[in-house]
Amino acid sequence: MKKASWMDMGRKYILFMIAVICFAGICMGCGKVDDGQEESTGIQIKSGDVESAEDMTQIGVYLDVDKNSSEITDVKYKISGDIGILSFRYSGVKVELRGSCKYEMYDLAGVENTSNGDMITGNIQGYSATYYTLTPGRIAFWSDGTINYSLYIYVTASDEVLNEVLSHIVFENRYTDRADVQQQIETDSRAFAEKIVKVFNDEDLETMKDMVLYPQETSGGQSIANENELLNVDKKALFTDILMKALNDENALDNLRKTNDGSEYVIGTNYKNVHFRLNDDGQFVITKINN
């Protein structure tokens, strides 16, 4: 038998070490992917049982019940992914209220659709709702346009009992409290500030007319009631040199900030600036021009 040379053994050793290093690199790479995903979102949602309704706001919902009522007992709060769950007992009967910005109807409720299709319409604190009878149980669905809700009673309760239970619940839309939404708002607010700087530099009233909340009273004395008045405004009086200097400062975008009450954004100096805010429809609008 031919003996392996030292050179052959050296080659095998090198190949073995390369394989070990590659394998280690793959393992380390796997770990970095997880870390990178965590860093890219910066969001850690606490799933499982939570202490209160406030803890649910991290997923954009607020669910609670009147705990002062003698009929309400065994109140528990839970987060399951993007679903907030409030469970309690009403006169000993188990009830579950759920809310989510991503799920709706039976996917949200987590129960099988065993209804015969008969539907009753109603109103829950100003929102249109639909009620179904299940086997067993009663269920109600409604939405505020962003957050979807379900309430399930584990027995086939009467309409009177269902409405009584509904009168004890509290639900609020906290969608903008979500960390991912907050991140997106911050990104979009900077983009809108950049748009303001460009539009003002270009004196582009045609674009600007869709960005302004009317009526508008500038600090320079211009009264702008609508789009037509804006299109006919004196550009020199609106886009003053001192305002343009403030908007074009090299640190203007980095110094984009909120007002003390947090309701609006400000770009510019403390005296010459543009205020804007996020409306309920999800659009940014200019609210004040200090020129």
Side-chain angles (χ1 to χ4, degrees), residues 4 38 54 245:
E38 184 176 332
E54 281 294 338
K245 181 180 179 181

Side-chain angles (χ1 to χ4, degrees), residues 79-202:
I79 294 175
S80 178
D82 278 293
I83 299 176
I85 304 171
L86 167 68
S87 64
F88 59 94
R89 291 186 180 274
Y90 177 81
S91 296
V93 175
K94 187 175 179 180
V95 181
E96 198 166 85
L97 172 64
R98 294 187 173 205
S100 175
C101 66
K102 294 188 177 181
Y103 299 94
E104 61 181 351
M105 300 295 286
Y106 291 97
D107 288 337
L108 168 60
V111 298
E112 184 180 354
N113 180 2
T114 57
S115 74
N116 60 7
D118 290 342
M119 177 183 72
I120 299 175
T121 59
N123 184 288
I124 300 176
Q125 298 181 27
Y127 299 102
S128 297
T130 53
Y131 308 148
Y132 299 90
T133 299
L134 306 185
T135 307
R138 292 297 302 276
I139 196 161
F141 299 112
W142 69 101
S143 176
D144 62 17
T146 303
I147 305 298
N148 304 312
Y149 302 93
S150 70
L151 183 134
Y152 177 60
I153 302 176
Y154 278 68
V155 299
T156 307
S158 65
D159 291 346
E160 182 180 358
V161 171
L162 174 59
N163 288 322
E164 182 65 25
V165 172
L166 288 168
S167 71
H168 286 80
I169 63 172
V170 179
F171 56 92
E172 296 177 11
N173 184 329
R174 299 288 186 88
Y175 183 71
T176 56
D177 288 350
R178 288 176 59 96
D180 55 346
V181 174
Q182 285 291 328
Q183 287 182 355
Q184 190 60 53
I185 289 173
E186 292 306 307
T187 299
D188 292 345
S189 66
R190 185 181 177 94
F192 191 78
E194 291 172 345
K195 185 177 181 180
I196 288 173
V197 173
K198 184 179 188 309
V199 167
F200 277 53
N201 278 325
D202 296 343

Side-chain angles (χ1 to χ4, degrees), residues 2-278:
K2 185 177 179 181
K3 291 184 178 180
S5 67
W6 284 106
M7 186 174 293
D8 290 334
M9 293 175 66
R11 289 195 188 100
K12 291 179 180 178
Y13 178 78
I14 292 171
L15 290 173
F16 172 77
M17 290 304 298
I18 290 173
V20 169
I21 292 170
C22 289
F23 178 77
I26 291 170
C27 291
M28 291 173 65
C30 292
K32 288 180 179 177
V33 169
D34 290 339
D35 290 342
Q37 289 173 343
E38 184 176 332
E39 289 174 3
S40 65
T41 61
I43 301 167
Q44 290 185 338
I45 295 177
K46 178 183 177 182
S47 286
D49 294 335
V50 292
E51 294 295 323
S52 69
E54 281 294 338
D55 293 324
M56 295 185 186
T57 60
Q58 63 181 303
I59 61 169
V61 302
Y62 180 97
L63 308 173
D64 214 341
V65 66
D66 179 12
K67 292 186 285 291
N68 293 323
S69 171
S70 60
E71 288 93 351
I72 305 296
T73 58
D74 199 22
V75 179
K76 296 177 181 177
Y77 307 89
K78 183 178 180 180
I79 294 175
S80 178
D82 278 293
I83 299 176
I85 304 171
L86 167 68
S87 64
F88 59 94
R89 291 186 180 274
Y90 177 81
S91 296
V93 175
K94 187 175 179 180
V95 181
E96 198 166 85
L97 172 64
R98 294 187 173 205
S100 175
C101 66
K102 294 188 177 181
Y103 299 94
E104 61 181 351
M105 300 295 286
Y106 291 97
D107 288 337
L108 168 60
V111 298
E112 184 180 354
N113 180 2
T114 57
S115 74
N116 60 7
D118 290 342
M119 177 183 72
I120 299 175
T121 59
N123 184 288
I124 300 176
Q125 298 181 27
Y127 299 102
S128 297
T130 53
Y131 308 148
Y132 299 90
T133 299
L134 306 185
T135 307
R138 292 297 302 276
I139 196 161
F141 299 112
W142 69 101
S143 176
D144 62 17
T146 303
I147 305 298
N148 304 312
Y149 302 93
S150 70
L151 183 134
Y152 177 60
I153 302 176
Y154 278 68
V155 299
T156 307
S158 65
D159 291 346
E160 182 180 358
V161 171
L162 174 59
N163 288 322
E164 182 65 25
V165 172
L166 288 168
S167 71
H168 286 80
I169 63 172
V170 179
F171 56 92
E172 296 177 11
N173 184 329
R174 299 288 186 88
Y175 183 71
T176 56
D177 288 350
R178 288 176 59 96
D180 55 346
V181 174
Q182 285 291 328
Q183 287 182 355
Q184 190 60 53
I185 289 173
E186 292 306 307
T187 299
D188 292 345
S189 66
R190 185 181 177 94
F192 191 78
E194 291 172 345
K195 185 177 181 180
I196 288 173
V197 173
K198 184 179 188 309
V199 167
F200 277 53
N201 278 325
D202 296 343
E203 297 184 355
D204 183 1
L205 295 177
E206 187 63 35
T207 299
M208 183 179 170
K209 68 181 177 63
D210 297 322
M211 300 170 61
V212 173
L213 179 68
Y214 301 99
Q216 184 73 223
E217 190 80 31
T218 72
S219 66
Q222 292 83 19
S223 180
I224 305 170
N226 51 50
E227 293 182 2
N228 287 334
E229 290 192 6
L230 177 64
L231 292 174
N232 290 287
V233 76
D234 182 349
K235 290 185 178 180
K236 186 174 182 180
L238 180 61
F239 303 113
T240 62
D241 291 341
I242 191 168
L243 173 61
M244 299 314 301
K245 181 180 179 181
L247 294 180
N248 286 292
D249 184 275
E250 63 179 1
N251 296 316
L253 287 171
D254 289 336
N255 289 334
L256 178 66
R257 59 203 180 276
K258 286 187 175 182
T259 54
N260 290 335
D261 64 2
S263 63
E264 296 185 341
Y265 291 86
V266 183
I267 181 169
T269 66
N270 290 335
Y271 303 101
K272 298 300 176 182
N273 50 57
V274 177
H275 289 227
F276 63 94
R277 76 175 185 221
L278 182 66

